[in-house]
C-alpha cells in the first residue's frame, strides 16, 4: 500500500520571515513541491505566527491542489481559520504557545469532551480529522471513540531510538498500529522522520496512510542542492 507524503513547509516560512521579505516565495515553493510529486502540503500555524502566518494559510488554500493538511491547537482563532479554509484534513495538536515544536500527543482520555466537540465541528464541515497522539493504544482507542478519522503517531521517540535499537524503537508503534487497524481508525505519522528512518517505519507499520515531514526533508534538500549551486557560483566568479 502506498503511503502519502505530505511536505510540511513551516521551515520555508521561517527562512522567509528571517529577512522580512518574500524570499523564498512560499506559494511558488508549494507549487513546485507539488510538481515534484508531493501528495500533500502541511502547515502548522502557531498563535505567534513565527513561521506560517494565518494569512499564508489563506493564500495557500487558493493554490494547493494536493491534500491540504492544517495542524494546530484548536483554539478559537485556529478553528475559525480552518472552518473558513475547509482543508482536506485538520490535525489537532496540543502545542503550547512557547513550545519550539510539538513535544507530545494529546491525552485523549483527559481531553475527551473538548476533542469530541472540535471533531464534530470539523466533521460537520466535511473536513477529515486526525488527532496527534503518543504511541499508546489507550489514547488511540479513545481517539476512535470520539470520532476522529485518523490518528497521527508522534514519531519523536521512534526517530530518537532508531539509531541505537530500531526493533526497540518501533515496538510501541507496532502495537499502536495494531490497535488502530483493529479499530479501523486511519494511521498517519510525523515528527523527526527522515530518509534514514522512514523505510523501516513504513515496512513495520501496516496501513500507514500518510507521513508529514518538514525539518529533515528541507535539510536534506539543502544538502542535495549545495554542490550544484556552489559550482554555479564558482563558474560565474572564475
Ligand atoms: N507533525 C506535527 C504535529 C508537527 O508539529 C510537526 C512539526 O511541525 C511534524 C509532524 C513534522 O515534523 P518534522 O518537521 O520533524 O518533520
Amino acid at each position: 500500500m502506498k503511503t502519502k507524503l505530505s511536505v510540511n513547509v513551516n521551515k520555508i516560512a521561517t527562512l522567509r520571515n528571517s529577512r522580512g521579505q518574500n524570499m523564498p516565495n512560499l506559494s511558488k515553493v508549494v507549487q513546485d513541491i507539488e510538481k515534484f510529486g508531493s501528495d500533500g502540503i502541511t502547515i502548522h500555524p502557531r498563535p505567534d505566527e513565527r513561521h506560517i502566518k494565518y494569512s499564508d494559510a489563506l493564500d495557500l488554500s487558493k493554490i494547493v491542489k494536493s491534500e491540504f493538511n492544517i495542524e494546530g491547537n484548536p483554539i478559537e482563532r485556529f478553528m475559525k481559520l480552518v472552518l473558513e479554509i475547509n482543508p482536506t484534513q485538520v490535525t489537532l495538536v496540543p502545542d503550547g504557545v512557547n513550545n519550539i515544536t510539538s513535544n507530545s500527543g494529546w491525552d485523549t482520555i483527559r481531553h475527551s469532551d473538548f476533542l469530541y466537540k472540535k471533531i464534530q465541528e470539523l466533521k460537520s464541515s466535511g473536513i477529515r480529522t486526525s488527532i496527534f497522539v503518543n504511541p499508546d493504544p489507550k489514547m488511540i482507542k479513545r481517539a476512535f471513540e470520539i470520532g476522529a478519522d485518523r490518528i497521527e503517531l508522534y514519531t519523536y521517540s521512534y526517530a530518537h531510538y532508531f539509531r541505537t535499537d530500531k526493533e526497540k524503537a518501533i515496538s510501541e508503534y507496532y502495537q499502536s498500529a495494531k490497535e488502530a487497524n483493529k479499530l479501523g481508525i486511519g494511521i498517519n505519522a510525523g515528527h523527526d522522520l527522515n530518509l534514514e528512518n522512514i523505510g523501516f517505519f513504513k515496512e513495520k507499520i501496516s496501513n500507514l496512510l500518510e507521513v508529514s515531514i518538514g525539518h529533515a526533508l528541507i535539510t536534506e534538500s539543502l544538502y542535495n542542492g549545495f554542490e550544484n549551486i556552489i559550482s554555479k557560483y564558482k563558474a560565474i566568479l572564475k
Side-chain angles (χ1 to χ4, degrees):
M1 193 200 88
K2 183 189 148 190
T3 300
K4 289 189 172 174
L5 171 66
S6 186
V7 176
N8 178 317
V9 294
N10 286 357
K11 283 279 140 51
I12 304 296
T14 307
L15 190 58
R16 176 201 60 192
N17 297 350
S18 71
R19 292 297 282 263
Q21 292 173 356
N22 196 25
M23 182 182 169
N25 178 325
L26 183 65
S27 299
K28 168 90 171 80
V29 173
V30 161
Q31 285 170 322
D32 287 336
I33 285 173
E34 288 188 323
K35 205 163 68 193
F36 301 146
S38 168
D39 303 297
I41 298 294
T42 291
I43 57 170
H44 192 145
R46 290 176 191 264
D48 62 6
E49 301 190 90
R50 63 177 182 265
H51 36 64
I52 292 289
K53 299 176 193 291
Y54 277 56
S55 58
D56 288 328
L58 292 165
D59 291 346
L60 293 181
S61 72
K62 298 185 192 104
I63 61 158
V64 171
K65 292 202 172 65
S66 57
E67 294 202 351
F68 194 23
N69 175 42
I70 306 186
E71 301 178 339
N73 198 328
I75 56 172
E76 211 179 313
R77 191 173 169 216
F78 178 87
M79 288 299 285
K80 189 168 168 291
L81 178 80
V82 294
L83 290 169
E84 182 179 342
I85 290 176
N86 230 59
T88 320
Q89 176 175 273
V90 167
T91 302
L92 304 179
V93 184
D95 53 359
V97 175
N98 297 320
N99 290 359
I100 292 176
T101 182
S102 308
N103 59 7
S104 177
W106 284 100
D107 181 336
T108 53
I109 295 174
R110 186 155 167 232
H111 298 285
S112 188
D113 291 348
F114 173 75
L115 291 169
Y116 174 77
K117 282 192 201 114
K118 302 299 168 192
I119 284 170
Q120 292 315 309
E121 260 184 89
L122 296 165
K123 284 179 89 163
S124 62
S125 287
I127 300 170
R128 192 170 79 213
T129 55
S130 179
I131 301 187
F132 192 56
V133 288
N134 295 334
D136 176 344
K138 290 193 299 300
M139 297 301 141
I140 294 165
K141 184 157 183 286
R142 184 56 64 90
F144 170 74
E145 286 163 355
I146 58 181
D149 300 298
R150 297 187 182 184
I151 41 124
E152 179 181 333
L153 291 171
Y154 175 40
T155 45
Y156 167 80
S157 87
Y158 165 71
H160 187 75
Y161 293 111
F162 174 82
R163 286 193 159 173
T164 44
D165 186 345
K166 59 185 182 179
E167 291 296 342
K168 181 164 170 264
I170 198 75
S171 98
E172 52 187 359
Y173 291 87
Y174 179 78
Q175 293 307 331
S176 300
K178 228 165 105 177
E179 173 74 2
N181 284 325
K182 189 179 92 196
L183 294 165
I185 188 169
I187 306 171
N188 295 342
H191 224 284
D192 297 296
L193 295 173
N194 59 32
L195 277 176
E196 196 189 342
N197 63 31
I198 184 85
F200 187 68
F201 195 81
K202 159 85 180 154
E203 187 188 310
K204 295 288 177 184
I205 302 300
S206 52
N207 299 326
L208 179 62
L209 297 172
E210 175 193 295
V211 288
S212 65
I213 309 186
H215 187 75
L217 187 147
I218 303 297
T219 308
E220 289 153 353
S221 302
L222 281 176
Y223 258 91
N224 266 336
F226 279 141
E227 191 174 354
N228 178 27
I229 293 299
I230 288 172
S231 65
K232 283 188 176 175
Y233 275 99
K234 294 292 288 184
I236 295 168
L237 297 172
K238 78 171 182 278

